[in-house]
Every structure is written in structure tokens, then in C-alpha cells.
């Protein structure tokens, strides 16, 4: 008997092969009605309910799942193994000493993650239980949101949010349209128009909607918000009428109905299959350079730990080679111990030594770093300088794991429109057949500056020209997707009010379109409305002209143009098309191309955004052919986008050029100053934009990315057509390498404009050729390396005509280069998301192109100018703080555990601990943790005003300079030195001992009772005070919090020691610390010894700093001396400049700008 495995195969393909391989469709029965007899067979499909789950854990799986995730971290797993070893074998220290710090870290992390997940559960519950109106049996009933199923007909009122993905059936508007805002999806607050199915738009009551008999065939759920392919089969008299469905018919979950009284729609995707839920997928985890350094240091210390344990194990058995030492009279072995194999005994001893020395690995460092990053991120959000009054928003931190990476950026990749510019479009001019028209050029009878040489609208170009002029104005009034709002308020905000009367205003998803339509209004042609398929415009004679809208060929980033097909009142049919000049001009067969092209190039050089406008008259036969092409493409379920694109190519041809427009997108406030500061800080700035080369280049000059003496190198399609790519690349390579080392911006004074540097311009097509893997040409394999070499020697790079994927490829290429530089990408639109996710640090701008960039970024800021403070101040501080934190943790643990290693040489390698269990447990948790945490949150080694005034200080911390191996080795050697001083200083203090009358041993020079716990306690006391005072010496910025925590930690240690040794604790089976600390403090020489040992431990570090600052000071250290008032500011600057000249080094940008910063600090 054969078994049908098709269902199983379908499930495997669906859930295992991946969403991208799932190309099948689904059938949705509207109102759950079966199709009529003779239609397709009724197959009831199972779909998920409308429950949304954003939480990570459930009540039952929280503990196992969270524990699994936490113990995947190497450090946590390592300490778990150590803890288990302490439980299994007889170790010198209590399991509590390892278990308590480990479980403290685990529990704190679990509570934090559990609380965050509880908040997600709470939010899910609120969403899932929201009431929704559903039509059943001709009546409206209320359902909880999670009970909605695919096929339910939903009723939505104005200002309500869609509970699932819907197909619009009808609306309260006569034309079947509705207005929607998708701010929660892509951040775009503009009103978008969606269209009901033509055959159902007239059904506006519950009974009428319930009578609809139809099925929907559509693709399976896809995460792409802007793509949908489907068709609806409407059964009328048992005959099916098929209509295409596209993204213009789909209302997405999370969007909100606006300016429409109500709608009816059918659910097609529910729950976790909605497009909103499919976009929940988390971003890949980014790791900072500091975290990588921490892991490297951890490996080194793990090797040191193993070496220590191995050395002690070997020495123990060498020591025990003498039978008298192996088994003394006071420590005889049992028979079982004698029978154990020597290898088993050696391995057990090795593990015991590992446990004894395991504190050299600082488990608490990880929780301290997490707390520092989490708490430190609030300083960005609380920064008033990064708050924008216009938006009413400040900076947002989405990922605190990368705070210190802000201080390590070497490459900045920025978008242009909306990032460097305001994305606030203003219509400047239009050109019709070479005649230029400037709105409002004549004001109060006077011609404005720059307008005298232009043709105005009242200088009629003649009868034929006037006809073409009006056709151009009509084209711009018709070729758009602008909506007209006539009410006085939208979302509670008044618009379009003039002299107390309600007036229309325009809303659109594209600010360019609004600017063009408003520009036409100023020139005499006003777009009024779209009503019943008729577009109405008001001409100069105040006559209303009506055009029937037949087709809209929507804009897309590949075609870079859009078209409409309209029928005039006379019956003539026109196709009006507008788009980028590179997209329109190749399709033009007539018109004054040269004149228009010259004006377009002139405006592009001025930094204006340009569009070309063309038209094509269509005969009735041609229109029918166009309708057939478009209808066939729209009804296709497979490859609809491809077929539509092919149809558009066939329709948008044989165009007649009318003219061009110019719109200005102004440069953002302080954008030029920010870019200049980034350059002075040693960062290379690349602009990646989809704009044309001339427009982007003009913006780069205005923003000082390119300076007046920058030599521009072009790697563009035009040049590659003249020469082959191989020759162009090698020519550019020879040019930049000839001046390498002497002509780059980094070697130029910021105050001098005589230095020549290079700027590279490359377009998307050429970049594709450069990135293409070698196939035909054997030399092409090296193109990428040559291109990278050229870029390395250019101070700035402009990449124009870039697709979103190409932006990410550029970032990935730089990341993978041999230097592995730290990259930052900043943008404001959905097209910037790919590069934001690819870069080490992604920053979103809260702009007008939506919030997708903000949602996918690591940090979000209101304006580009805020990037300056984020990097030069916050990034600088974060890196300084966390680098000290990491090095200090390793240092204090070396100081802590190395005396334990030395002690084994004096106790016969018996694994006897030097410190009491309480001290072992609390050293990293209580005694030394808070001071370094507060330091890592509060430290400001230089005043922030100076950091902003002198960007060159950023170079002092670049390239992970404070966490390099020489610095790490210095801290480790310092820790070893301190440990030797503490141990042997205390040892010599105990050197001369005598016995008292009661048999106790006492030191002759201090009159202190001698014992191993007294010895360990004295070493531990010196240790705690030494490592704390080391932090005191490194602190430059003192607040009451620093004083409270540092001195409070020392007081807490003393009080704890007094309490711990002053009481006989009934729950302890030993009382070895009883009276030890108090008896130690009762000895005057012990106090003196503590002071001398602390001084001896810290003295070399102090001497080293003094010598280094005197002989080889960094710029940072010089400024610290100025702030400390060591000598006058002017004298400092004079000596600094003289020194620079003496060293024959390039002048530093810190000269004049530093004077202002220091003077400000002094004041």
C-alpha cells in the first residue's frame, strides 16, 4: 500500500527549508464561506490564531532555558566546573568561595532578564486581549484580538489600529480608499492611501459585507512590508471574477486608520505570521573591541592559572620525595590514601591547586562590565545637548554593549538625504524647453537677487511654448500620489488655515512630491483632489480641469521613475512620467534635450535635487495594449514584480521631454562643523547616497567633506567607458601613491588650506564591476585590493547612485580589510538599514524617512550634529572608563592571588589558603567592586568642553590604544610587584618570633601573636588598601559619590573584619578568625608596616607616571597639567608649538581651538 508523503514533505519544506524557499500560496475563504459548486475544491487550511508572542520565556522553561544561555558563556561555565570540583574532591577552600560569586552573578542576570521578559509578557497580554469588531452572520460582535482567525471580516473605525494583516474590502469613502499611517512599522507619519477591491467597495453595511462570496489566493507570509502578491476571486452568479491584489490593498498590523470613518477588511495573515511579527527577528550580536580584548586577556590568565597549578603540583611531589616530608608524624595518611595511584593523586592535587588559584579569573568583572554599560548608557539619554526641541526627543540607546566602541571609530559611513541634509524639500525652479521659471521671483515689484537673468512666468515663450509650458505644469499636477486634506485639523493639529478659513494642504509619503505640487500651485496650477477616479486641477484662469486616472505606474528604486496614464476631458490619453534624468533621458525620442540636460547639470552642481518630466500621447489602441500588459502582470501570482517591471519597460518608452524641476534639500545645522571635527579626530568619512554624482558632490563641498584644495578622483561609469576599468584603477593608484605620506589630510594642519589631499567619487555601476568576482579577466581579482588602496589614501570618499545592498557591501569590504578598522554607519531611512546592521556601530537619525533606521540601530540621535558629542565626548569617556575597569580588575586579582601562590612555597605545597573564606568570597563582591564601578561611570580625565573643542584628542584613545598588550603586561607586572611587596614585607615582619608562656608564638619586633591567619589577614589588609589607593591615584574627576564609595568601602572592610573576628559565630564549625583582626590592629608596628607596605607598593607606579609625564607627555596629559594649574595656558601653548616645531612633526589641530577650551575651563 502506497503512502502519501506529500503533506510531510510540504511541512518539511515549510518549516525546515526556510521562509525564502517557501513559494506556495494560501487560499483564504472570506467569512469562512465555501466556494460555490463547480469552483475549486474546498480545502480547509489550518492557520495560527492572532496571538502575538514577543516574550522569550514561559513560566515552565525560564529556569532551564535561562541557565543554559548563561552557562554558554565561557567564564560562567568555567566557574561552574570549579564549583563542582570543590564539591566533589577535598579542596583547600570552601565551595562557598566560588559558588557564592558565581550564583550572585547568575541570579542577578536571571532577575534582570526575567523582569525584562515579564514586561514583554505584560505587553503581549495587553495587545492580545484588545477588543476587535468582527462581522458574523450579518452582525457586528466583539472579539478579543487573539481569537481572530484567517478569513474573519473585521470592522475598523478611525484612529483604531489594525489587529492583523488585512485586505481592504470597502470603506466609508465613496472611492473605496482609506488613509493609513504606518508610524509603528516604518516610522512614516505621512498618510498613505490604500484601495479597496473595486467589486466590493460599494458594500458598506454589515449585511452587505456578509453577503460577499469570494476567496483570496495569495503568497505565504513574507517579512517584506512593501511587497504583496495575490488575487481575489469574486463569485457572482456562480461565475468567478478575478481581480489582482497588491501592496496597495494590504493593511498591515500595527498601522492606524486615519481620516476615514470606517472600513471593512478580511484577515489574511494573523499572529506571528503577520508582516510586523516576521520583522521581530533579532539583529546579529555585535561584539566590541574591548570585549575581544577581555577574552584574550582571559585566555592569558587561564594559561597562567594552569601554569601555577602545574608548577605547584610538580613541586609538591618533589617536596614529598623525602618520606619525612611526605608523611610527617602529625599528618599520617590513611591506608586508602596510600593505595591510590600516584597519577590519580597528582590529578586531584592539580585540581585542588586550580581551585586555590582560580580567583585570578575575575568572574565579577563580567557583571561589573554589564552594570557599567547598562548604567553608563543613561548618560547619553540624559544629555540635554542631544535633545532636539523640534522633535521633542533625545538620544536613544538600543544596545548598551557597544558604548566604548563609540570611542574607537575609524570610518564613518553616512547617508546624504535626511542625514547630512534636512529632507525638507523646497521647490526652487523648473525648466521647460530651456525656459526657467522661479516661483515668487518677483516680490513687491522688485526682482530678487539672481533672478534677473531668468525667464519669468510672465515672459511668455510664445503660443507653442505656452502650450508646452501648461502641459508641463499639468504633468506635475497629475503625476504623483499626493493626497489633499481639506479639513482644518489632522490628528488634532491645525493645518492649512488662512484668514480663519479652511484651506487644502498636501500630504504624501514623499516630501519631493509635496514640494513639486506646491511649486506648481505657486506657478498658477493647483491640484485640487482625486474624486471618483477623476483628478481635478485649477488652472490659471480659475477653471477646473478634470482628468480620469486610468493607471498609476508606481515609483520604485530600480526604475527611479513613476508614471500615470490619464484621459483628458477631450478624450485624449496621456502618459506622464517623471524621474531621475538617468532614467528618463534614455527613453526620450524628442524634445529640447540639450537645453534641459544643461540646466539639470547646472542645478546638480548647485546641490539641488533634479527630476525630468516627459509625456507620451497614447492612441485608444495603444491604451488597450497597455491595459492588457499591465493587467496580465498584476494578476500573476508568481514573479509578479518581474512581470510588472517588464511591462513598465514596454509602456514607458518613446517619451517626449517637457522639462525638469529643481528642489532644494538644505544642509542640516552644524553638519559641516561635525564632519570637519570627525576629520580632525582622525576618522575617514564616506558619503553613501542614491543621488546623482553632481548633486552629491555639491553637498560634499558644502559640508566640507571635500575642501577647495581637494583633488577629486573619479571612478565612474563615464570614465570607465572611455578607458577600461583596469587602466582607470591603476592610473588612480599611481596618482595617490605618488603623494602618499606627504599629502594626506592627516598630515595637514587644520588651520592651513595649502595642503592637497584626495577625494574619490565612485558610482554604483562601477562599484559592482570592482566588487565582481574574477571570471573573464584574470586581473580582476585584484581590483578590490587596488580600490581599497586608493581609498586608504583618500581623505574622503563619495559613493553615489548606491543601492541599499551596495551600501552594506562597502561597509563589509572596509571591515574585512587588513587593518580591520572600527566602522560606524549613520542614516535615517529604510534604505540605510543594511549598512547600519553591517557596521560595528549603527546610528539611526530620527528623520522624515521613517523609523526603520532608528529601530534597527544601536543608537539613535535626533540630528547629525549630535554625532560629534556622541563620539568625541561620550565615546572618549566610555572607552577610557571601561579600559581602566578591565585592566584594574585583572590587576587587583593578580595582587590578590599571587601571594597565595608564593605562600605555597612556605607551607610545603599543602594547598593551605592564605586568606580566610570570608575574605576570599567578599574581595571581588564587596570590598573592591563598588569603587571601580563608580570610577567607570563618573571619570572625566579631561573636561568635556575641551574634548569638543579639540577633536584631535580622540586620536589618543584610537585603535584600542589603552588595551594593547604592552599596557596589559605593565598592569600585570605591577600586580605581581605589589603582591611580592605585600607578601615578603609581611613575611619579614614576622621573621623573628618567640613562644609566650602559654605556648603561643609571638613576633619579637611587633609583640603580635603569630599565626597563619594573622599573616594572611595582614597581607589582605595591605592588599585592600593598596588596590583602592591605586584607583584613588588614577581618579581625575572627584564627586561626593567617589568619596563616599571609596572611603566607604575601606570603612566597610574594617568594620566587617572587626565584626567577623569579634564574635563567635555559632553556625561556623571553626573560629579561626576570632580576635585576629583586633589583635593585629592593637600593634603599633603593624600599623606602621601597613602604611610602609602600601607606600612601597604604589611608589613605582607614581614614579613611572611622573617620569613619563615629564619626558614623553601625551596631549591629554599636557591638558591635565593645565587644568591642574601647573603653569599658565599661554606658556603651555607656546611650549607646545615650540616642541612641535622642534620635533618637526605636523602641526596639531589642538592649537587655537585648545586655547578656547582651556580658557573656558579656567573660567
Amino acid at each position: 500500500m502506497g503512502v502519501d508523503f506529500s503533506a510531510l514533505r510540504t511541512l518539511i519544506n515549510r518549516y525546515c527549508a526556510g521562509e525564502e524557499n517557501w513559494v506556495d500560496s494560501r487560499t483564504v475563504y472570506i467569512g469562512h464561506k465555501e466556494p460555490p459548486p463547480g469552483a475549486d475544491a474546498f480545502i480547509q487550511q489550518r492557520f495560527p490564531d492572532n496571538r502575538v508572542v514577543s516574550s522569550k520565556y514561559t513560566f515552565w522553561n525560564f529556569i532551564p532555558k535561562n541557565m543554559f544561555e548563561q552557562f554558554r558563556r565561557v567564564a560562567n561555565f568555567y566557574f561552574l566546573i570549579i564549583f563542582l570540583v570543590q564539591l566533589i574532591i577535598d579542596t583547600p577552600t570552601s565551595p562557598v568561595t566560588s559558588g557564592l560569586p558565581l550564583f550572585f552573578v547568575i541570579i542577578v542576570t536571571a532577575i534582570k532578564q526575567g523582569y525584562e521578559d515579564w514586561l514583554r509578557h505584560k505587553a503581549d497580554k495587553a495587545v492580545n486581549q484588545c477588543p476587535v469588531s468582527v462581522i458574523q452572520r450579518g452582525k457586528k460582535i466583539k472579539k478579543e484580538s487573539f481569537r481572530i482567525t484567517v478569513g474573519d471580516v473585521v470592522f475598523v473605525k478611525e484612529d483604531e489600529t489594525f489587529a492583523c494583516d488585512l485586505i481592504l474590502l470597502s470603506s466609508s469613502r465613496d472611492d473605496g480608499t482609506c488613509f493609513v499611517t504606518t508610524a509603528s512599522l516604518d516610522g512614516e507619519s505621512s498618510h498613505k492611501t490604500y484601495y479597496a477591491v473595486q467589486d466590493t467597495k460599494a458594500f458598506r453595511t454589515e449585511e452587505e459585507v456578509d453577503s460577499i462570496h469570494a476567496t483570496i489566493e495569495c503568497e505565504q507570509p513574507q517579512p517584506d512590508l512593501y511587497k504583496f502578491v495575490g488575487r481575489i476571486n469574486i463569485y457572482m452568479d456562480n461565475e468567478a471574477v478575478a481581480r489582482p491584489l497588491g501592496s496597495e490593498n494590504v493593511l498591515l498590523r500595527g498601522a492606524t486608520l486615519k481620516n476615514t470613518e470606517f472600513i471593512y477588511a478580511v484577515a489574511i495573515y494573523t499572529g506571528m505570521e503577520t508582516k510586523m511579527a516576521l520583522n521581530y527577528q533579532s539583529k546579529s550580536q555585535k561584539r566590541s573591541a574591548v570585549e575581544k580584548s577581555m577574552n584574550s586577556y582571559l585566555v592569558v590568565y587561564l594559561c597562567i592559572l594552569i601554569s601555577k597549578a602545574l608548577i605547584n603540583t610538580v613541586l609538591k611531589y618533589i617536596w614529598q620525595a623525602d618520606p619525612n616530608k611526605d608523611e610527617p608524624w602529625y599528618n599520617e595518611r590513611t591506608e586508602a590514601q596510600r593505595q591510590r595511584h600516584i597519577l590519580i593523586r597528582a590529578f586531584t592535587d592539580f585540581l585542588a591547586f586550580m581551585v586555590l588559584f582560580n580567583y585570578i579569573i575575575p568572574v565579577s568583572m563580567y557583571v561589573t562590565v554589564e552594570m557599567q554599560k547598562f548604567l553608563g548608557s543613561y548618560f547619553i539619554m540624559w544629555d540635554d545637548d542631544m535633545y532636539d526641541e523640534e522633535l521633542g526627543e533625545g538620544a536613544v540607546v538600543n544596545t548598551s554593549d557597544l558604548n566604548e566602541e563609540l570611542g574607537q571609530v575609524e570610518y564613518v559611513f553616512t547617508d546624504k538625504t535626511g542625514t547630512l541634509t534636512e529632507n525638507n524639500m523646497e521647490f526652487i525652479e523648473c525648466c521647460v524647453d530651456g525656459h526657467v521659471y522661479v516661483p515668487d521671483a518677483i516680490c513687491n515689484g522688485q526682482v530678487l537677487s539672481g533672478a534677473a537673468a531668468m525667464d519669468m512666468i510672465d515672459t511668455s515663450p510664445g503660443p507653442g511654448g505656452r502650450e508646452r509650458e501648461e502641459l508641463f505644469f499639468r504633468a506635475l499636477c497629475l503625476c504623483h500620489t499626493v493626497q489633499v486634506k481639506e479639513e482644518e485639523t489632522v490628528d488634532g493639529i491645525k493645518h492649512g488655515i488662512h484668514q480663519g478659513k479652511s484651506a487644502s494642504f498636501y500630504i504624501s509619503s514623499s516630501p519631493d512630491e509635496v514640494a513639486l505640487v506646491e511649486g506648481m500651485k505657486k506657478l498658477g496650477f493647483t491640484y485640487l483632489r482625486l474624486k471618483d477616479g477623476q483628478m481635478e486641477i485649477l488652472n490659471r484662469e480659475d477653471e477646473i480641469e478634470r482628468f480620469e486616472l486610468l493607471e498609476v505606474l508606481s515609483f520604485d528604486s530600480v526604475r527611479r521613475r513613476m508614471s500615470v496614464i490619464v484621459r483628458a476631458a477631450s478624450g485624449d490619453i496621456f502618459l506622464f512620467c517623471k524621474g531621475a534624468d538617468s532614467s528618463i533621458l534614455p527613453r526620450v525620442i524628442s524634445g529640447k534635450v540639450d537645453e534641459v540636460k544643461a540646466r539639470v547639470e547646472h542645478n546638480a552642481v548647485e546641490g539641488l535635487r533634479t527630476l525630468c518630466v516627459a509625456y507620451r500621447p497614447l492612441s485608444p489602441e495603444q491604451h488597450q495594449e497597455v491595459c492588457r500588459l499591465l493587467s496580465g502582470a498584476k494578476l500573476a501570482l508568481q514573479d509578479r514584480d518581474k512581470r510588472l517591471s517588464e511591462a513598465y519597460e514596454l509602456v514607458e518608452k518613446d517619451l517626449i521631454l517637457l522639462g525638469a524641476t529643481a528642489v532644494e534639500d538644505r544642509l542640516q545645522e552644524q553638519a559641516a562643523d561635525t564632519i570637519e571635527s570627525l576629520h580632525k579626530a582622525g576618522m575617514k568619512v564616506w558619503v553613501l547616497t542614491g543621488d546623482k554624482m553632481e548633486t552629491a558632490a555639491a553637498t560634499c563641498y558644502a559640508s566640507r567633506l571635500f575642501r577647495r584644495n581637494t583633488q577629486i578622483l573619479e571612478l565612474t561609469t563615464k570614465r570607465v567607458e572611455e578607458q577600461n576599468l583596469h587602466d582607470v584603477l591603476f592610473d588612480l593608484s599611481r596618482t595617490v601613491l605618488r603623494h602618499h605620506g606627504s599629502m594626506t589630510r592627516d598630515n595637514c594642519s587644520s588651520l592651513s588650506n595649502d595642503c592637497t589631499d584626495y577625494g574619490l567619487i565612485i558610482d554604483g555601476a562601477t562599484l559592482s564591476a570592482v566588487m565582481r568576482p574574477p571570471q573573464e579577466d584574470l586581473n580582476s581579482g585584484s581590483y578590490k585590493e587596488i580600490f581599497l588602496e586608493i581609498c586608504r589614501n583618500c581623505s574622503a570618499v563619495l559613493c553615489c547612485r548606491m543601492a541599499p545592498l551596495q551600501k552594506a557591501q562597502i561597509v563589509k569590504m572596509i571591515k574585512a580589510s587588513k587593518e580591520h578598522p572600527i566602522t560606524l554607519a549613520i542614516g535615517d531611512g529604510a534604505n540605510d538599514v543594511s549598512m547600519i546592521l553591517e557596521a560595528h556601530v549603527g546610528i539611526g537619525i530620527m528623520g522624515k524617512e521613517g523609523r526603520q533606521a532608528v529601530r534597527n540601530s544601536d543608537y539613535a540621535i535626533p540630528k547629525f550634529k549630535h554625532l560629534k558629542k556622541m563620539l568625541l565626548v561620550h565615546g572618549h569617556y566610555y572607552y577610557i572608563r571601561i579600559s581602566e575597569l578591565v585592566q584594574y580588575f585583572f590587576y587587583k586579582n593578580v595582587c590578590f592571588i599571587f601571594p597565595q601562590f608564593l605562600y605555597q612555597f612556605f607551607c610545603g605545597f599543602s594547598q593551605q589558603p592564605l586568606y580566610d573564606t570570608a575574605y576570599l568570597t567578599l574581595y571581588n563582591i564587596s570590598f573592591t567592586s563598588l569603587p571601580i564601578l563608580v570610577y567607570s561611570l563618573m571619570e572625566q580625565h579631561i573636561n568635556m568642553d575641551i574634548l569638543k573643542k579639540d577633536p584631535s584628542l580622540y586620536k589618543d584613545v584610537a585603535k584600542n590604544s589603552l588595551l594593547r598588550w604592552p599596557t596589559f603586561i605593565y598592569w600585570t607586572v605591577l600586580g605581581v610587584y605589589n603582591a611580592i611587596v605585600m607578601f615578603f614585607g609581611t613575611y619579614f615582619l614576622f621573621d623573628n618570633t618567640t613562644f609566650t608562656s602559654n605556648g603561643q608564638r609571638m613576633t619579637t619586633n611587633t609583640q603580635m601573636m603569630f599565626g597563619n591567619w594573622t599573616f594572611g589577614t595582614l597581607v589582605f589588609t595591605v592588599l585592600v588598601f593598596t588596590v583602592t589607593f591605586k584607583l584613588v591615584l588614577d581618579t581625575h574627576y572627584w564627586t561626593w559619590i567617589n568619596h563616599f564609595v571609596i572611603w566607604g568601602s575601606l570603612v566597610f572592610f574594617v568594620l566587617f573584619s572587626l565584626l567577623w573576628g569579634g564574635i563567635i559565630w555559632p553556625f561556623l564549625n571553626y573560629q579561626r578568625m576570632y580576635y585576629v583582626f583586633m589583635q593585629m590592629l592593637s600593634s603599633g608596628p603593624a600599623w606602621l608596616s601597613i602604611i610602609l607596605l602600601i607606600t612601597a607598593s604604589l611608589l613605582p607606579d607614581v614614579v613611572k607616571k611622573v617620569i613619563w609625564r615629564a619626558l614623553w607627555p601625551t596631549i591629554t596629559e599636557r591638558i591635565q597639567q593645565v587644568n591642574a594649574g601647573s603653569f599658565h595656558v599661554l606658556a603651555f601653548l607656546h611650549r607646545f608649538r615650540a616642541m612641535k616645531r622642534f620635533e618637526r612633526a605636523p602641526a596639531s589641530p589642538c592649537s587655537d581651538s585648545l586655547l578656547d577650551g582651556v580658557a573656558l575651563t579656567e573660567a
Side-chain angles (χ1 to χ4, degrees), residues 53-67 69-70 110 113-114 116-118 120-121:
V53 180
S54 63
S55 56
K56 192 175 183 179
Y57 307 105
T58 65
F59 178 80
W60 306 107
N61 72 8
F62 173 72
I63 292 178
K65 191 172 182 179
N66 186 264
M67 291 300 104
E69 289 177 350
Q70 292 208 56
Q113 293 179 350
E116 290 173 348
D117 204 62
W118 176 76
R120 286 192 287 266
H121 271 284

Side-chain angles (χ1 to χ4, degrees), residues 326-556:
D326 183 27
E327 200 172 345
W329 60 269
Y330 56 83
N331 193 21
E332 290 187 0
R333 294 181 183 174
T334 64
E335 189 61 33
Q337 288 175 328
R338 292 192 184 98
Q339 295 298 324
R340 291 176 68 188
H341 194 277
I342 188 170
L343 291 178
I344 296 176
R345 279 188 288 144
F347 181 69
T348 304
D349 286 330
F350 173 76
L351 291 179
F353 280 118
M354 286 281 288
V355 170
L356 187 63
F357 301 141
N358 84 86
Y359 300 96
I360 197 172
I361 308 294
V363 64
S364 60
M365 179 179 70
Y366 284 92
V367 72
T368 306
V369 167
E370 290 292 331
M371 291 173 67
Q372 188 268 348
K373 289 182 175 182
F374 175 71
L375 297 174
S377 63
Y378 282 94
F379 289 113
I380 290 180
M381 294 188 281
W382 292 338
D383 192 337
D384 290 339
D385 291 342
M386 300 178 73
Y387 182 83
D388 186 73
E389 295 287 347
E390 183 184 346
L391 291 175
E393 293 184 84
V396 175
V397 178
N398 297 324
T399 307
S400 62
D401 293 341
L402 303 171
N403 290 346
E404 65 277 7
E405 206 82 328
L406 295 170
Q408 296 295 296
V409 175
E410 297 171 63
Y411 281 81
V412 175
F413 299 93
T414 174
D415 178 40
K416 184 183 78 71
T417 305
T419 304
L420 292 179
T421 59
E422 292 180 349
N423 200 13
N424 187 14
M425 308 302 174
E426 180 184 353
F427 182 80
I428 300 300
E429 67 169 54
C430 60
C431 169
V432 184
D433 288 346
H435 298 280
V436 178
Y437 301 83
V438 181
D440 302 329
I442 300 178
C443 181
N444 297 326
Q446 293 185 353
V447 180
L448 299 182
S449 60
M454 298 180 181
D455 293 308
M456 299 303 150
I457 57 173
D458 58 344
T459 61
S460 177
R466 187 172 181 83
E467 183 181 335
R468 303 257 304 170
E469 167 197 301
E470 293 187 350
L471 187 60
F472 174 86
F473 293 156
R474 289 188 181 95
L476 285 177
C477 283
L478 299 170
C479 187
H480 56 73
T481 57
V482 170
Q483 306 153 27
V484 181
K485 178 66 179 172
E486 296 181 354
E487 288 85 350
E488 291 189 4
T489 60
V490 175
D491 304 336
I493 302 172
K494 291 191 175 183
H495 289 278
I497 308 299
H498 180 63
Q499 294 180 348
K501 296 182 179 180
S502 168
S504 64
F505 66 96
Y506 303 115
I507 48 179
S508 173
S509 57
S510 168
D512 294 77
E513 287 196 327
V514 172
L516 292 174
V517 174
E518 288 178 342
M520 291 305 99
K521 187 174 183 179
K522 293 177 181 178
L523 292 173
F525 278 76
T526 304
Y527 172 62
L528 297 178
R529 66 185 67 84
L530 171 65
K531 185 177 181 181
D532 299 328
Q534 299 282 331
M535 299 184 80
E536 298 179 0
I537 60 176
L538 186 70
N539 62 23
R540 289 177 186 158
E541 285 74 31
D542 288 336
E543 298 171 349
I544 295 178
E545 301 179 5
R546 291 182 175 85
F547 294 82
E548 182 185 354
L549 181 61
L550 303 175
E551 295 284 351
V552 177
L553 283 60
S554 302
F555 175 86
D556 65 67

Side-chain angles (χ1 to χ4, degrees), residues 861-917:
I861 54 177
K863 296 286 176 60
F864 183 76
K865 66 179 181 180
H866 298 128
L867 182 65
K868 178 179 177 180
K869 187 171 185 183
M870 177 169 270
L871 297 184
L872 302 186
V873 178
H874 290 292
H876 195 119
Y877 281 156
Y878 283 137
Y879 179 73
I880 289 285
R881 292 164 180 169
I882 202 166
S883 59
E884 175 87 8
L885 185 152
V886 171
Q887 301 280 28
Y888 180 80
F889 252 98
F890 284 107
Y891 155 79
K892 73 186 181 72
N893 277 39
V894 170
C895 294
F896 178 46
I897 215 63
F898 199 73
Q900 181 74 72
F901 172 74
L902 296 174
Y903 187 57
Q904 296 307 302
F905 289 85
F906 295 88
C907 68
F909 307 99
S910 62
Q911 299 151 12
Q912 168 67 33
L914 176 62
Y915 312 117
D916 179 63
T917 300

Side-chain angles (χ1 to χ4, degrees), residues 133-144:
S133 298
V134 178
I135 307 301
Q136 284 188 356
R137 298 184 181 87
K139 294 183 179 178
K140 197 186 304 175
I141 64 169
K142 290 284 186 181
K143 264 188 182 183
E144 291 175 313

Side-chain angles (χ1 to χ4, degrees), residues 187-244:
E188 295 182 12
S189 56
S190 56
H191 293 57
K192 298 178 180 177
T193 307
Y194 290 85
Y195 300 90
V197 178
Q198 286 297 311
D199 300 81
T200 63
K201 69 179 184 180
F203 298 96
R204 294 190 190 134
T205 65
E206 288 88 347
E207 294 79 9
E208 290 174 342
V209 170
D210 192 54
S211 67
I212 295 175
H213 202 180
T215 60
I216 293 174
E217 294 174 76
C218 60
E219 63 184 0
Q220 291 291 352
Q222 300 266 358
D224 191 337
L225 296 176
Y226 308 104
K227 181 183 176 185
F228 177 79
V229 176
R231 65 171 170 239
I232 183 170
N233 300 306
I234 303 169
Y235 300 103
M236 297 179 178
D237 301 326
N238 291 333
E239 295 219 1
V241 178
R243 300 289 185 223

Side-chain angles (χ1 to χ4, degrees), residues 1110 1118 1121 1127 1129-1141:
R1118 290 183 178 123
Q1121 289 174 352
F1127 48 84
V1129 177
L1130 294 177
F1132 159 71
L1133 289 175
H1134 176 74
R1135 286 181 55 191
F1136 179 75
R1137 289 168 180 152
M1139 189 178 298
K1140 282 294 180 183
R1141 286 196 296 271

